[in-house]
C-alpha cells in the first residue's frame, strides 16, 4: 500500500496453553481451522495442539450481531478507512458511522499522544485501529521508535523476535493501535517491493520467525496480519505501481502458502494482495477482487479468519474506481476493505454499497458474513 513506499501527512490473543484470551478489542476467537498452532518459546518450532478446536464460523460480539444489525451498519463494519493525522472531528465522524477499522498511514504524533485514538474504544462497536509497523523501511508510528527489518530480525533467535514484537505491541496498544498489518510472510525473492521486508527464502524459516513476531504481538493484545497472500516475494512487478504476477499456482501451493497453513490458525488476520496467479486467477482481476483466490485461501489453505485487502484506492494494480473496487472486493470474499479516503466521503461510499445490495450486485449474505468476522475480531468493551 502507499504507506509502504511513500510517507503521508486488545483483539484476540491466543494463549500458549491453548486458550483464547480476549484483550481490549477481542471477543471470541477469530475463526480458524481445526486446531490451534503454538510456537515454542524456546526454539521457535511449530507444534499442533490437536486436542483443541476453534470455531469454523465467525462468532459475533456480545453487543452487535451481524445477522440482525441494520444493513448500513453491517456494511460500515466491512470498511477500513485510511487517514493521515486524523482530527478529533474526523475520528468522531468515522466512529459515528460505525466503520470496522481505521488505518493510520501517516506518522503524526498528536493523535497518538493526546488520547484521541484510545477514546475510540468507548464507541458502541469500536473500530480496529491499524498501522503498518513491520520494522525497517516500513514503520509508520514514529512514537514507538525504530525497529529492525524482517531480514535483520531473522538474525536473532525466534524467542528474541517474539520479545521484540511483544514490546513493540505494548507500545502500539498504549497509543490505541490494536491491529498491526504485519508480519510479512512473503518468501524472499528478487522482488524489490518486498526485499528486506521478507524474513527468509525458505517457508519453514519464514514460519518460524514470522510466527514468533505474530506471537509477540498477540501477547501484547495486538492483532497480527499475515501478508501478502497469495505471495508477493517471488512475483514480478510491484502492485503499488502496476500489475504484479506470481509464479504459477503449483509453485505457490508447494512453497509460498506454507506459512499461511502453519500460522493461519494462531489468531491472525490475513491481507489479500493485488496479484495475478498464473493457472488460478480470473483474467483482468487482481487477487484482492477475485473470488477464485479467496476460495483458495479458505479451502486449500484452510484459513477461516479475518481477511483484509491491501489498499484499494491508489495502488495501481487495482484497475477499477474505488466504488466498484469495494463492491468487487467484498463480493469476492474480503471481510475488511482497506482504502484511503477523506472521512467526509465515506457516507457516499456507504450509500453506493447499499444500492449495490438492493440491486443484487452485492449479496447481503456476503456482507453479513464479512461483518461477522470483523465483529469477531473485537469487542464493545
Amino acid at each position: 500500500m502507499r504507506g509502504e513506499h511513500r510517507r503521508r501527512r486488545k483483539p484476540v490473543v491466543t494463549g500458549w496453553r491453548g486458550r483464547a484470551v480476549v484483550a481490549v478489542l477481542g471477543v471470541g476467537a477469530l475463526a480458524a481451522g481445526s486446531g490451534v498452532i503454538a510456537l515454542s518459546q524456546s526454539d521457535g518450532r511449530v507444534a499442533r495442539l490437536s486436542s483443541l478446536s476453534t470455531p469454523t464460523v465467525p462468532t459475533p460480539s456480545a453487543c452487535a450481531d451481524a445477522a440482525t444489525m441494520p444493513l448500513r451498519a453491517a456494511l460500515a463494519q466491512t470498511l477500513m478507512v485510511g487517514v493521515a493525522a486524523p482530527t478529533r472531528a474526523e475520528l468522531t465522524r468515522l466512529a459515528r458511522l460505525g466503520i470496522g477499522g481505521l488505518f493510520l498511514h501517516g506518522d503524526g504524533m498528536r493523535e497518538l499522544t493526546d488520547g484521541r485514538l484510545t477514546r475510540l474504544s468507548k464507541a458502541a462497536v469500536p473500530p480496529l485501529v491499524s498501522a503498518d509497523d513491520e520494522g525497517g523501511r516500513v514503520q509508520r508510528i514514529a512514537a514507538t521508535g525504530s525497529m529492525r527489518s524482517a531480514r535483520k530480525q531473522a538474525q536473532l533467535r525466534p524467542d528474541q523476535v517474539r520479545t521484540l514484537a511483544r514490546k513493540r505491541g505494548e507500545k502500539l496498544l498504549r497509543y490505541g493501535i490494536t491491529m498491526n498489518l504485519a508480519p510479512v510472510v512473503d518468501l524472499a525473492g528478487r522482488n524489490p517491493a518486498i526485499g528486506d521486508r521478507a524474513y527468509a527464502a525458505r517457508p519453514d524459516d519464514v514460519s518460524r520467525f514470522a510466527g514468533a513476531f505474530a506471537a509477540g504481538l498477540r501477547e501484547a493484545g495486538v492483532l497480527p496480519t499475515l501478508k501478502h497472500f497469495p505471495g508477493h516475494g517471488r512475483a514480478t512487478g510491484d502492485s503499488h505501481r502496476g500489475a504484479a504476477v506470481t509464479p504459477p499456482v503449483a509453485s505457490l501451493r508447494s512453497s509460498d502458502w506454507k506459512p499461511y497453513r502453519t500460522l493461519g490458525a494462531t489468531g491472525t488476520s490475513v491481507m489479500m494482495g493485488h496479484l495475478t496467479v498464473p493457472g488460478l486467477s480470473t483474467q483482468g482481476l487482481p487477487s484482492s477482487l477475485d473470488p477464485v483466490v479467496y476460495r483458495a485461501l479458505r479451502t486449500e489453505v484452510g484459513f477461516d479468519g479475518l481477511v483484509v485487502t491491501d489498499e484499494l484506492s491508489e495502488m495501481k494494480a487495482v484497475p477499477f474506481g474505488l466504488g466498484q473496487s469495494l463492491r468487487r472486493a467484498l463480493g469476492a470474499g474480503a471481510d475488511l476493505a482497506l482504502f484511503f479516503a477523506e472521512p467526509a466521503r465515506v457516507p457516499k461510499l456507504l450509500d453506493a454499497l447499499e444500492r449495490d445490495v438492493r440491486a443484487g450486485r452485492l449479496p447481503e449474505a456476503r456482507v453479513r458474513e464479512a461483518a461477522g468476522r470483523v465483529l469477531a475480531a473485537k469487542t464493545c468493551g
Side-chain angles (χ1 to χ4, degrees):
M1 67 184 62
R2 173 173 54 190
E4 294 171 350
H5 72 283
R6 188 168 88 208
R7 295 168 72 92
R8 283 283 307 262
R9 198 199 51 158
K10 273 178 169 174
V12 177
V13 182
T14 303
W16 302 116
R17 295 179 181 176
R19 185 180 177 189
V21 179
V22 179
V24 185
L25 295 184
V27 63
L30 279 174
S34 59
V36 175
I37 306 292
L39 188 76
S40 167
Q41 296 188 41
S42 59
D43 60 8
R45 290 177 298 176
V46 175
R48 178 172 291 276
L49 306 181
S50 57
S51 62
L52 300 169
S53 61
T54 51
T56 56
V57 295
T59 303
S61 74
C63 58
D65 185 348
T68 59
M69 68 196 312
L71 173 61
R72 190 176 181 87
L75 283 166
Q77 284 297 310
T78 68
L79 303 184
M80 175 168 274
V81 182
V83 292
T87 65
R88 284 191 180 90
E90 288 174 329
L91 290 178
T92 298
R93 177 192 289 266
L94 293 172
R96 286 176 177 170
L97 288 172
I99 61 167
L102 181 73
F103 172 64
L104 304 176
H105 64 94
D107 55 5
M109 293 286 291
R110 183 173 297 175
E111 71 271 19
L112 298 177
T113 57
D114 68 1
R116 72 183 72 171
L117 287 178
T118 56
R119 280 193 290 272
L120 289 174
S121 64
K122 297 180 174 62
V125 184
L128 292 165
V129 180
S130 69
D132 270 326
D133 198 52
E134 303 168 11
R137 57 192 164 107
V138 181
Q139 46 187 332
R140 301 303 170 204
I141 309 302
T144 57
S146 181
M147 182 170 61
R148 64 181 70 194
S149 68
R151 180 178 296 169
K152 290 184 177 180
Q153 289 176 34
Q155 297 171 3
L156 304 173
R157 299 190 311 272
D159 64 300
Q160 292 175 313
V161 173
R162 182 171 177 164
T163 298
L164 178 154
R166 175 178 54 77
K167 292 180 178 179
R168 188 70 166 197
E170 289 169 351
K171 291 181 180 179
L172 294 173
L173 194 63
R174 191 176 307 136
Y175 292 117
I177 297 166
T178 58
M179 180 181 186
N180 191 3
L181 302 186
V184 169
V185 295
D186 296 321
L187 304 188
R190 296 182 178 178
N191 192 294
I194 302 303
D196 63 355
R197 298 168 62 195
Y199 285 95
R202 296 179 61 249
D204 290 347
D205 292 336
V206 171
S207 295
R208 199 163 74 251
F209 289 102
F213 191 89
L217 290 177
R218 285 195 304 274
E219 288 175 342
V222 173
L223 177 66
T225 305
L226 312 178
K227 63 184 188 184
H228 309 76
F229 191 85
H232 205 315
R234 300 194 297 139
T236 57
D238 179 352
S239 60
H240 302 100
R241 306 178 186 280
V245 182
T246 72
V249 64
S251 179
L252 298 183
R253 285 170 173 146
S254 64
S255 56
D256 301 65
W257 292 0
K258 283 185 175 181
Y260 293 96
R261 293 191 181 101
T262 301
L263 304 175
T266 58
T268 68
S269 57
V270 164
M271 175 176 281
M272 182 66 74
H274 308 309
L275 300 155
T276 299
V277 183
L280 178 66
S281 291
T282 302
Q283 186 174 0
L285 293 180
S287 51
S288 55
L289 310 182
D290 192 346
V292 174
V293 183
Y294 285 94
R295 193 175 307 125
L297 176 63
R298 297 298 191 193
T299 60
E300 291 191 49
V301 176
F303 181 75
D304 197 30
L306 181 71
V307 178
V308 57
T309 68
D310 208 339
E311 199 280 320
L312 291 166
S313 62
E314 295 191 359
M315 292 183 68
K316 302 304 182 183
V318 181
F320 306 105
L322 179 56
Q324 187 175 171
S325 294
L326 292 176
R327 172 176 60 81
R328 285 178 175 270
L330 295 172
D335 302 313
L336 199 51
L338 169 58
F339 59 96
F340 300 143
E342 294 297 326
R345 187 183 178 191
V346 177
K348 292 183 179 180
L349 292 171
L350 284 170
D351 291 342
L353 288 171
E354 279 195 281
R355 290 194 296 269
D356 287 332
V357 174
R358 304 299 184 199
R361 293 185 292 267
L362 176 60
E364 183 173 344
R366 171 82 271 277
V367 171
R368 296 191 182 280
E369 176 189 49
R373 285 200 179 94
V374 176
L375 291 167
K378 56 191 179 181
T379 187
C380 305

